[in-house]
Each structure stands twice: as C-alpha cells, then as structure tokens.
Amino acid sequence: SLATQLKGIIGSSLLDIAGGSGRYSIEISNEIPTCECSIMELPSLTKVLPKYLNQSPKKIKIISGDIFESIPLGFDTHLFCDT
C-alpha cells in the first residue's frame, strides 16, 4: 500500500493536495497514526468529503482552496497523486 511505502519517510503532517475522496489520507492516517492528515480540495468538492472521511477513525482536516492560487504552509509532506 502507499502508506506502507511511506512509513519512515512521511513526516508528522501531510497535505493531500487535490485529495478527492480522501482515499490516500484515510489509508495513511490509519497506517501511520503519528501523521496528521489534511486534504486540500476545491470548494465544490469539500462539501461531499465528510461522508467519505467517516471511514477514518482519526480526524482528517478539510481545507477548501485552489492549488493554483495558494498552497497552505506548515506541512512537512505534500502528496500529489493522480491515479
């Protein structure tokens, strides 16, 4: 899994950029409990994210925004994934 491959590499905070349904953030937060995950997604998509994030026992923060305007600071890992 992606989380297994990232163990030992990932920092204590991750920003999942254009994270879609949150699949990777859910996986990472479940496998690497020391990592605080946040998902940045377009405002129109952040409205539906909470129903997907119910699958995670850990709270995953949702950040509404556009990566072409700005990317939040303060994360030691950024995840860009297109699968």
Side-chain angles (χ1 to χ4, degrees):
S1 74
L2 178 63
T4 303
Q5 294 174 14
L6 292 175
K7 277 187 181 177
I9 298 171
I10 207 165
S12 62
S13 62
L14 173 128
L15 179 62
D16 186 355
I17 299 173
S21 67
R23 180 178 109 184
Y24 293 119
S25 288
I26 292 168
E27 178 185 324
I28 290 166
S29 67
N30 288 337
E31 292 285 324
I32 308 171
T34 57
C35 184
E36 296 294 325
C37 295
S38 298
I39 298 171
M40 182 177 186
E41 191 52 87
L42 292 170
S44 59
L45 299 175
T46 57
K47 296 173 188 172
V48 297
L49 263 175
K51 76 175 185 178
Y52 293 106
L53 299 182
N54 289 335
Q55 302 170 40
S56 176
K58 277 183 69 179
K59 182 166 174 46
I60 297 174
K61 184 177 176 185
I62 300 170
I63 300 170
S64 182
D66 184 337
I67 64 168
F68 297 108
E69 292 177 8
S70 70
I71 295 177
L73 301 175
F75 297 91
D76 40 14
T77 307
H78 290 114
L79 177 65
F80 290 90
C81 190
D82 183 23
T83 58

